[in-house]
Amino acid sequence: METKTFIKNGTAKTKLFGEETYKQCCLGAFRGEIYFDYKYRHTNGQEFTTLRRTLIQCRAERDFWLREKTVSFSGHRAERMTRNSPDTQKRLIDIGFDTYTAITELCKRDYHTFLSGMANGFDLIAAEEALNAKKTFPYIQLKCVLPFKGQADRCFLRRNNYLLDNSAYLVVFYDSTPTGGTAYTLRHAMERKIEFQNVCYNRK
């Protein structure tokens, strides 16, 4: 998001939450080279600042900073999550409750952005619970990750890789079956040493 620079005492200041500000400056310590004095304030009030030669470098560092407090979701479809359950509706309510609890605990740890692939089942449950958590933590953001409208199965792994590339924590609903997209995502999260929580086992 491009914004006008807000200058105070010769330094760029972030005026609004969720926006970036920057100004070009010539610093004697760097032999007169032009640098960008860059600032970004997240909707939770935390501010990121950097000084780099290009905006691309500034934004790459900002994105890494944001990633460290971003959570992704991955889980099974609704019919699989409720398999062998005598009360399907209660099972889904319990899953929603456990997911909401996981999200709010992460919010207390300063996680502020949540990514959902929006597939039918756990992805949608997690997205809904993130919106519910927003009532208590209004600064958090929910982002939907869709390769394109009407995506086919061949795009799911690309989407899952994007989720892992852009988050530092994974909330998963995984029933231990070693095949499928959720198994793939969790396996690669573990390989990358991404912290995760499996809400499948929060209830007996």
Side-chain angles (χ1 to χ4, degrees):
M1 179 188 303
E2 301 286 345
T3 64
K4 294 182 179 179
T5 305
F6 173 62
I7 306 296
K8 183 177 182 181
N9 298 326
T11 303
K13 299 290 184 181
T14 307
K15 191 173 183 180
L16 298 175
F17 288 178
E19 293 190 352
E20 66 177 16
T21 58
Y22 55 83
K23 75 180 184 73
Q24 290 180 290
C25 54
C26 182
L27 302 178
F30 296 96
R31 299 182 180 178
E33 294 183 0
I34 301 300
Y35 279 74
F36 283 87
D37 178 12
Y38 181 94
K39 299 182 188 299
Y40 173 86
R41 187 179 296 278
H42 193 268
T43 50
N44 68 354
Q46 294 180 347
E47 187 177 68
F48 167 81
T49 64
T50 191
L51 187 69
R52 290 292 180 262
R53 294 185 66 177
T54 69
L55 273 177
I56 292 176
Q57 291 174 311
C58 293
R59 288 166 176 162
E61 290 187 10
R62 175 205 61 191
D63 290 345
F64 180 81
W65 178 75
L66 290 171
R67 176 188 177 277
E68 292 304 296
K69 290 300 180 182
T70 297
V71 179
S72 59
F73 300 118
S74 182
H76 305 310
R77 300 299 178 96
E79 58 271 17
R80 182 165 164 181
M81 292 191 298
T82 58
R83 185 185 302 166
N84 301 322
S85 175
D87 190 333
T88 298
Q89 189 60 30
K90 183 179 184 303
R91 177 63 171 158
L92 292 174
I93 290 173
D94 287 345
I95 293 170
F97 177 83
D98 292 337
T99 305
Y100 175 83
T101 300
I103 291 170
T104 55
E105 288 302 315
L106 288 168
C107 290
K108 294 174 184 177
R109 292 171 54 184
D110 292 331
Y111 285 90
H112 49 55
T113 304
F114 297 86
L115 308 180
S116 172
M118 300 302 287
N120 180 36
F122 183 71
D123 285 1
L124 288 178
I125 290 173
E128 183 176 357
E129 296 307 331
L131 292 176
N132 286 334
K134 192 174 177 67
K135 298 172 185 177
T136 303
F137 304 92
Y139 56 83
I140 68 174
Q141 297 179 337
L142 171 67
K143 296 184 178 181
C144 304
V145 181
L146 297 172
F148 55 82
K149 186 177 181 180
Q151 60 183 337
D153 288 343
R154 62 185 172 87
C155 295
F156 288 167
L157 296 185
R158 181 182 300 177
R159 179 204 63 191
N160 293 345
N161 286 333
Y162 178 91
L163 293 173
L164 295 179
D165 289 341
N166 291 277
S167 62
Y169 196 101
L170 176 68
V171 175
V172 64
F173 187 99
Y174 176 56
D175 63 8
S176 297
T177 302
T179 58
T182 301
Y184 170 92
T185 304
L186 180 56
R187 182 168 63 252
H188 283 269
M190 294 174 69
E191 290 174 356
R192 300 184 189 199
K193 301 187 184 307
I194 293 176
E195 189 177 358
F196 71 91
Q197 178 179 171
N198 186 2
V199 297
C200 183
Y201 300 110
N202 285 2
R203 289 175 179 267
K204 296 181 179 180

PDB file of all heavy atoms in Angstrom, residues 23-27 30 34-39 48-54 57-58 61:
ATOM      1  N   LYS A  23      10.794   7.449   3.210  1.00  0.00           N
ATOM      2  CA  LYS A  23      11.357   8.613   2.544  1.00  0.00           C
ATOM      3  C   LYS A  23      12.782   8.277   2.133  1.00  0.00           C
ATOM      4  O   LYS A  23      13.449   7.466   2.759  1.00  0.00           O
ATOM      5  CB  LYS A  23      11.325   9.849   3.442  1.00  0.00           C
ATOM      6  CG  LYS A  23      12.354   9.884   4.547  1.00  0.00           C
ATOM      7  CD  LYS A  23      12.218  11.142   5.370  1.00  0.00           C
ATOM      8  CE  LYS A  23      13.314  11.259   6.439  1.00  0.00           C
ATOM      9  NZ  LYS A  23      14.631  11.603   5.863  1.00  0.00           N
ATOM     10  N   GLN A  24      13.218   8.881   1.058  1.00  0.00           N
ATOM     11  CA  GLN A  24      14.598   8.712   0.628  1.00  0.00           C
ATOM     12  C   GLN A  24      15.471   9.698   1.377  1.00  0.00           C
ATOM     13  O   GLN A  24      15.090  10.851   1.602  1.00  0.00           O
ATOM     14  CB  GLN A  24      14.715   8.928  -0.871  1.00  0.00           C
ATOM     15  CG  GLN A  24      14.077   7.825  -1.698  1.00  0.00           C
ATOM     16  CD  GLN A  24      14.209   8.088  -3.187  1.00  0.00           C
ATOM     17  OE1 GLN A  24      13.566   8.998  -3.710  1.00  0.00           O
ATOM     18  NE2 GLN A  24      15.034   7.293  -3.857  1.00  0.00           N
ATOM     19  N   CYS A  25      16.656   9.233   1.768  1.00  0.00           N
ATOM     20  CA  CYS A  25      17.551  10.103   2.508  1.00  0.00           C
ATOM     21  C   CYS A  25      18.989   9.839   2.077  1.00  0.00           C
ATOM     22  O   CYS A  25      19.335   8.732   1.645  1.00  0.00           O
ATOM     23  CB  CYS A  25      17.384   9.910   4.012  1.00  0.00           C
ATOM     24  SG  CYS A  25      17.570   8.204   4.561  1.00  0.00           S
ATOM     25  N   CYS A  26      19.805  10.837   2.205  1.00  0.00           N
ATOM     26  CA  CYS A  26      21.221  10.746   1.858  1.00  0.00           C
ATOM     27  C   CYS A  26      22.006  10.808   3.157  1.00  0.00           C
ATOM     28  O   CYS A  26      21.973  11.816   3.872  1.00  0.00           O
ATOM     29  CB  CYS A  26      21.611  11.898   0.929  1.00  0.00           C
ATOM     30  SG  CYS A  26      23.320  11.851   0.378  1.00  0.00           S
ATOM     31  N   LEU A  27      22.675   9.706   3.489  1.00  0.00           N
ATOM     32  CA  LEU A  27      23.358   9.603   4.768  1.00  0.00           C
ATOM     33  C   LEU A  27      24.867   9.701   4.583  1.00  0.00           C
ATOM     34  O   LEU A  27      25.471   8.938   3.816  1.00  0.00           O
ATOM     35  CB  LEU A  27      23.000   8.281   5.452  1.00  0.00           C
ATOM     36  CG  LEU A  27      21.502   8.052   5.701  1.00  0.00           C
ATOM     37  CD1 LEU A  27      21.273   6.692   6.324  1.00  0.00           C
ATOM     38  CD2 LEU A  27      20.925   9.138   6.591  1.00  0.00           C
ATOM     39  N   PHE A  30      27.148   6.661   4.883  1.00  0.00           N
ATOM     40  CA  PHE A  30      27.177   5.721   3.769  1.00  0.00           C
ATOM     41  C   PHE A  30      27.709   6.402   2.494  1.00  0.00           C
ATOM     42  O   PHE A  30      27.327   6.053   1.386  1.00  0.00           O
ATOM     43  CB  PHE A  30      25.779   5.153   3.523  1.00  0.00           C
ATOM     44  CG  PHE A  30      25.276   4.332   4.678  1.00  0.00           C
ATOM     45  CD1 PHE A  30      24.446   4.900   5.638  1.00  0.00           C
ATOM     46  CD2 PHE A  30      25.652   3.012   4.809  1.00  0.00           C
ATOM     47  CE1 PHE A  30      23.988   4.137   6.707  1.00  0.00           C
ATOM     48  CE2 PHE A  30      25.191   2.242   5.877  1.00  0.00           C
ATOM     49  CZ  PHE A  30      24.367   2.809   6.827  1.00  0.00           C
ATOM     50  N   ILE A  34      21.967   7.036  -1.493  1.00  0.00           N
ATOM     51  CA  ILE A  34      20.556   7.229  -1.178  1.00  0.00           C
ATOM     52  C   ILE A  34      19.991   5.950  -0.560  1.00  0.00           C
ATOM     53  O   ILE A  34      20.150   4.855  -1.109  1.00  0.00           O
ATOM     54  CB  ILE A  34      19.760   7.597  -2.437  1.00  0.00           C
ATOM     55  CG1 ILE A  34      20.325   8.882  -3.059  1.00  0.00           C
ATOM     56  CG2 ILE A  34      18.273   7.772  -2.099  1.00  0.00           C
ATOM     57  CD1 ILE A  34      20.267  10.086  -2.146  1.00  0.00           C
ATOM     58  N   TYR A  35      19.326   6.090   0.555  1.00  0.00           N
ATOM     59  CA  TYR A  35      18.681   4.974   1.238  1.00  0.00           C
ATOM     60  C   TYR A  35      17.214   5.301   1.488  1.00  0.00           C
ATOM     61  O   TYR A  35      16.815   6.464   1.467  1.00  0.00           O
ATOM     62  CB  TYR A  35      19.371   4.684   2.577  1.00  0.00           C
ATOM     63  CG  TYR A  35      20.623   3.858   2.444  1.00  0.00           C
ATOM     64  CD1 TYR A  35      21.795   4.418   1.941  1.00  0.00           C
ATOM     65  CD2 TYR A  35      20.640   2.514   2.804  1.00  0.00           C
ATOM     66  CE1 TYR A  35      22.950   3.662   1.809  1.00  0.00           C
ATOM     67  CE2 TYR A  35      21.794   1.754   2.677  1.00  0.00           C
ATOM     68  CZ  TYR A  35      22.936   2.334   2.175  1.00  0.00           C
ATOM     69  OH  TYR A  35      24.070   1.582   2.033  1.00  0.00           O
ATOM     70  N   PHE A  36      16.432   4.241   1.748  1.00  0.00           N
ATOM     71  CA  PHE A  36      15.034   4.411   2.120  1.00  0.00           C
ATOM     72  C   PHE A  36      14.886   4.224   3.628  1.00  0.00           C
ATOM     73  O   PHE A  36      15.265   3.182   4.177  1.00  0.00           O
ATOM     74  CB  PHE A  36      14.146   3.389   1.398  1.00  0.00           C
ATOM     75  CG  PHE A  36      13.880   3.737  -0.036  1.00  0.00           C
ATOM     76  CD1 PHE A  36      14.754   3.336  -1.036  1.00  0.00           C
ATOM     77  CD2 PHE A  36      12.758   4.477  -0.386  1.00  0.00           C
ATOM     78  CE1 PHE A  36      14.513   3.661  -2.359  1.00  0.00           C
ATOM     79  CE2 PHE A  36      12.508   4.803  -1.718  1.00  0.00           C
ATOM     80  CZ  PHE A  36      13.392   4.395  -2.699  1.00  0.00           C
ATOM     81  N   ASP A  37      14.380   5.259   4.284  1.00  0.00           N
ATOM     82  CA  ASP A  37      14.008   5.178   5.702  1.00  0.00           C
ATOM     83  C   ASP A  37      12.569   4.671   5.732  1.00  0.00           C
ATOM     84  O   ASP A  37      11.641   5.403   5.404  1.00  0.00           O
ATOM     85  CB  ASP A  37      14.125   6.562   6.336  1.00  0.00           C
ATOM     86  CG  ASP A  37      13.704   6.572   7.797  1.00  0.00           C
ATOM     87  OD1 ASP A  37      13.541   5.486   8.380  1.00  0.00           O
ATOM     88  OD2 ASP A  37      13.526   7.668   8.346  1.00  0.00           O
ATOM     89  N   TYR A  38      12.392   3.414   6.086  1.00  0.00           N
ATOM     90  CA  TYR A  38      11.105   2.722   5.907  1.00  0.00           C
ATOM     91  C   TYR A  38      10.502   2.338   7.250  1.00  0.00           C
ATOM     92  O   TYR A  38      11.195   1.838   8.138  1.00  0.00           O
ATOM     93  CB  TYR A  38      11.328   1.458   5.068  1.00  0.00           C
ATOM     94  CG  TYR A  38      10.072   0.658   4.800  1.00  0.00           C
ATOM     95  CD1 TYR A  38       9.341   0.846   3.631  1.00  0.00           C
ATOM     96  CD2 TYR A  38       9.612  -0.294   5.714  1.00  0.00           C
ATOM     97  CE1 TYR A  38       8.190   0.112   3.375  1.00  0.00           C
ATOM     98  CE2 TYR A  38       8.466  -1.025   5.475  1.00  0.00           C
ATOM     99  CZ  TYR A  38       7.764  -0.818   4.303  1.00  0.00           C
ATOM    100  OH  TYR A  38       6.627  -1.541   4.062  1.00  0.00           O
ATOM    101  N   LYS A  39       9.169   2.536   7.381  1.00  0.00           N
ATOM    102  CA  LYS A  39       8.449   2.147   8.592  1.00  0.00           C
ATOM    103  C   LYS A  39       7.100   1.536   8.215  1.00  0.00           C
ATOM    104  O   LYS A  39       6.462   1.960   7.256  1.00  0.00           O
ATOM    105  CB  LYS A  39       8.236   3.339   9.521  1.00  0.00           C
ATOM    106  CG  LYS A  39       9.525   3.989  10.001  1.00  0.00           C
ATOM    107  CD  LYS A  39       9.258   5.132  10.949  1.00  0.00           C
ATOM    108  CE  LYS A  39      10.552   5.889  11.270  1.00  0.00           C
ATOM    109  NZ  LYS A  39      11.554   5.038  11.927  1.00  0.00           N
ATOM    110  N   PHE A  48       7.549  -1.752  12.581  1.00  0.00           N
ATOM    111  CA  PHE A  48       8.757  -2.278  11.962  1.00  0.00           C
ATOM    112  C   PHE A  48       9.487  -1.136  11.282  1.00  0.00           C
ATOM    113  O   PHE A  48       8.868  -0.309  10.598  1.00  0.00           O
ATOM    114  CB  PHE A  48       8.399  -3.352  10.926  1.00  0.00           C
ATOM    115  CG  PHE A  48       9.545  -3.720  10.029  1.00  0.00           C
ATOM    116  CD1 PHE A  48      10.510  -4.618  10.456  1.00  0.00           C
ATOM    117  CD2 PHE A  48       9.664  -3.158   8.766  1.00  0.00           C
ATOM    118  CE1 PHE A  48      11.579  -4.956   9.641  1.00  0.00           C
ATOM    119  CE2 PHE A  48      10.723  -3.495   7.936  1.00  0.00           C
ATOM    120  CZ  PHE A  48      11.682  -4.399   8.380  1.00  0.00           C
ATOM    121  N   THR A  49      10.799  -1.062  11.469  1.00  0.00           N
ATOM    122  CA  THR A  49      11.590  -0.024  10.814  1.00  0.00           C
ATOM    123  C   THR A  49      12.842  -0.645  10.204  1.00  0.00           C
ATOM    124  O   THR A  49      13.390  -1.618  10.725  1.00  0.00           O
ATOM    125  CB  THR A  49      12.036   1.066  11.813  1.00  0.00           C
ATOM    126  OG1 THR A  49      12.911   0.485  12.790  1.00  0.00           O
ATOM    127  CG2 THR A  49      10.831   1.680  12.521  1.00  0.00           C
ATOM    128  N   THR A  50      13.284  -0.082   9.096  1.00  0.00           N
ATOM    129  CA  THR A  50      14.533  -0.522   8.477  1.00  0.00           C
ATOM    130  C   THR A  50      15.071   0.600   7.605  1.00  0.00           C
ATOM    131  O   THR A  50      14.348   1.542   7.244  1.00  0.00           O
ATOM    132  CB  THR A  50      14.345  -1.812   7.651  1.00  0.00           C
ATOM    133  OG1 THR A  50      15.632  -2.330   7.284  1.00  0.00           O
ATOM    134  CG2 THR A  50      13.526  -1.561   6.391  1.00  0.00           C
ATOM    135  N   LEU A  51      16.339   0.464   7.250  1.00  0.00           N
ATOM    136  CA  LEU A  51      17.009   1.437   6.387  1.00  0.00           C
ATOM    137  C   LEU A  51      17.760   0.648   5.323  1.00  0.00           C
ATOM    138  O   LEU A  51      18.749  -0.020   5.627  1.00  0.00           O
ATOM    139  CB  LEU A  51      17.976   2.300   7.209  1.00  0.00           C
ATOM    140  CG  LEU A  51      18.634   3.479   6.502  1.00  0.00           C
ATOM    141  CD1 LEU A  51      17.606   4.560   6.177  1.00  0.00           C
ATOM    142  CD2 LEU A  51      19.750   4.060   7.367  1.00  0.00           C
ATOM    143  N   ARG A  52      17.263   0.685   4.077  1.00  0.00           N
ATOM    144  CA  ARG A  52      17.871  -0.109   3.008  1.00  0.00           C
ATOM    145  C   ARG A  52      17.924   0.703   1.712  1.00  0.00           C
ATOM    146  O   ARG A  52      17.240   1.705   1.559  1.00  0.00           O
ATOM    147  CB  ARG A  52      17.077  -1.399   2.787  1.00  0.00           C
ATOM    148  CG  ARG A  52      17.197  -2.396   3.924  1.00  0.00           C
ATOM    149  CD  ARG A  52      18.606  -2.957   4.002  1.00  0.00           C
ATOM    150  NE  ARG A  52      18.747  -3.914   5.102  1.00  0.00           N
ATOM    151  CZ  ARG A  52      19.246  -3.627   6.295  1.00  0.00           C
ATOM    152  NH1 ARG A  52      19.640  -2.375   6.538  1.00  0.00           N
ATOM    153  NH2 ARG A  52      19.354  -4.547   7.224  1.00  0.00           N
ATOM    154  N   ARG A  53      18.696   0.212   0.751  1.00  0.00           N
ATOM    155  CA  ARG A  53      18.911   0.957  -0.480  1.00  0.00           C
ATOM    156  C   ARG A  53      17.712   0.918  -1.421  1.00  0.00           C
ATOM    157  O   ARG A  53      17.547   1.816  -2.252  1.00  0.00           O
ATOM    158  CB  ARG A  53      20.149   0.423  -1.197  1.00  0.00           C
ATOM    159  CG  ARG A  53      21.427   0.661  -0.425  1.00  0.00           C
ATOM    160  CD  ARG A  53      22.645   0.230  -1.208  1.00  0.00           C
ATOM    161  NE  ARG A  53      22.833   1.059  -2.406  1.00  0.00           N
ATOM    162  CZ  ARG A  53      23.858   0.924  -3.239  1.00  0.00           C
ATOM    163  NH1 ARG A  53      24.774  -0.003  -3.010  1.00  0.00           N
ATOM    164  NH2 ARG A  53      23.966   1.700  -4.300  1.00  0.00           N
ATOM    165  N   THR A  54      16.867  -0.107  -1.319  1.00  0.00           N
ATOM    166  CA  THR A  54      15.702  -0.201  -2.207  1.00  0.00           C
ATOM    167  C   THR A  54      14.442  -0.510  -1.415  1.00  0.00           C
ATOM    168  O   THR A  54      14.505  -1.110  -0.326  1.00  0.00           O
ATOM    169  CB  THR A  54      15.894  -1.303  -3.267  1.00  0.00           C
ATOM    170  OG1 THR A  54      15.859  -2.588  -2.614  1.00  0.00           O
ATOM    171  CG2 THR A  54      17.214  -1.133  -4.004  1.00  0.00           C
ATOM    172  N   GLN A  57      14.009  -4.315  -0.878  1.00  0.00           N
ATOM    173  CA  GLN A  57      14.685  -4.839   0.307  1.00  0.00           C
ATOM    174  C   GLN A  57      13.893  -4.524   1.571  1.00  0.00           C
ATOM    175  O   GLN A  57      13.750  -5.379   2.457  1.00  0.00           O
ATOM    176  CB  GLN A  57      16.089  -4.253   0.407  1.00  0.00           C
ATOM    177  CG  GLN A  57      17.052  -4.740  -0.661  1.00  0.00           C
ATOM    178  CD  GLN A  57      18.388  -4.013  -0.590  1.00  0.00           C
ATOM    179  OE1 GLN A  57      18.437  -2.776  -0.525  1.00  0.00           O
ATOM    180  NE2 GLN A  57      19.473  -4.771  -0.610  1.00  0.00           N
ATOM    181  N   CYS A  58      13.385  -3.310   1.656  1.00  0.00           N
ATOM    182  CA  CYS A  58      12.606  -2.905   2.834  1.00  0.00           C
ATOM    183  C   CYS A  58      11.383  -3.796   3.007  1.00  0.00           C
ATOM    184  O   CYS A  58      11.102  -4.286   4.107  1.00  0.00           O
ATOM    185  CB  CYS A  58      12.158  -1.452   2.702  1.00  0.00           C
ATOM    186  SG  CYS A  58      13.487  -0.231   2.752  1.00  0.00           S
ATOM    187  N   GLU A  61      12.132  -7.429   4.078  1.00  0.00           N
ATOM    188  CA  GLU A  61      12.395  -7.522   5.512  1.00  0.00           C
ATOM    189  C   GLU A  61      11.101  -7.376   6.309  1.00  0.00           C
ATOM    190  O   GLU A  61      10.901  -8.062   7.319  1.00  0.00           O
ATOM    191  CB  GLU A  61      13.408  -6.470   5.930  1.00  0.00           C
ATOM    192  CG  GLU A  61      14.808  -6.735   5.415  1.00  0.00           C
ATOM    193  CD  GLU A  61      15.831  -5.779   5.987  1.00  0.00           C
ATOM    194  OE1 GLU A  61      15.494  -5.031   6.938  1.00  0.00           O
ATOM    195  OE2 GLU A  61      16.972  -5.771   5.484  1.00  0.00           O
TER     196      GLU A  61
END
